[in-house]
Amino acid sequence: MKDYKKLFGRYWGYCESDIPMCWGCNQAVAVDIHHLISKGMGGVKNNRLNKIDNLFAVCRSCHTLAHKNKAVNEEFKKILKEKIFIKEAVYE
């Protein structure tokens, strides 16, 4: 399992066998972890984009849509920000 997937799972409390619902459409199983700020084809040094505030669980359709439509990706950023705010408010 890739490091960013492990990081995502630990933060959100998922086991390796857990598969969350897509955070974009809330209708399909999330099969990918989307980097809201793209890693690009070659990746980035020191995995600097593998941070909780850049990782978003998506189904294949939403993942494709986020890469094609900047407005969708921006909406996903807002959703993630709210999820993190709620999680940290509950667990503080």
Side-chain angles (χ1 to χ4, degrees), residues 3-4 7 35 39 44 47-52 54-55:
D3 288 344
Y4 68 90
L7 172 69
H35 286 80
K39 296 188 313 180
V44 295
N47 294 319
R48 66 181 167 82
L49 297 178
N50 292 343
K51 301 182 299 184
I52 272 310
N54 193 43
L55 303 174

Side-chain angles (χ1 to χ4, degrees), residues 8-69:
F8 178 89
R10 275 193 309 270
Y11 182 82
W12 293 107
Y14 294 116
C15 303
E16 280 190 45
S17 61
D18 291 341
I19 302 174
M21 292 300 289
C22 175
W23 290 356
C25 67
N26 295 305
Q27 296 178 11
V29 173
V31 295
D32 293 322
I33 304 298
H34 173 57
H35 286 80
L36 295 167
I37 299 172
S38 178
K39 296 188 313 180
M41 291 301 288
V44 295
K45 287 187 176 186
N46 302 323
N47 294 319
R48 66 181 167 82
L49 297 178
N50 292 343
K51 301 182 299 184
I52 272 310
D53 63 353
N54 193 43
L55 303 174
F56 194 81
V58 287
C59 65
R60 184 76 61 212
S61 295
C62 286
H63 200 181
T64 300
L65 188 60
H67 282 282
K68 288 182 179 180
N69 187 326

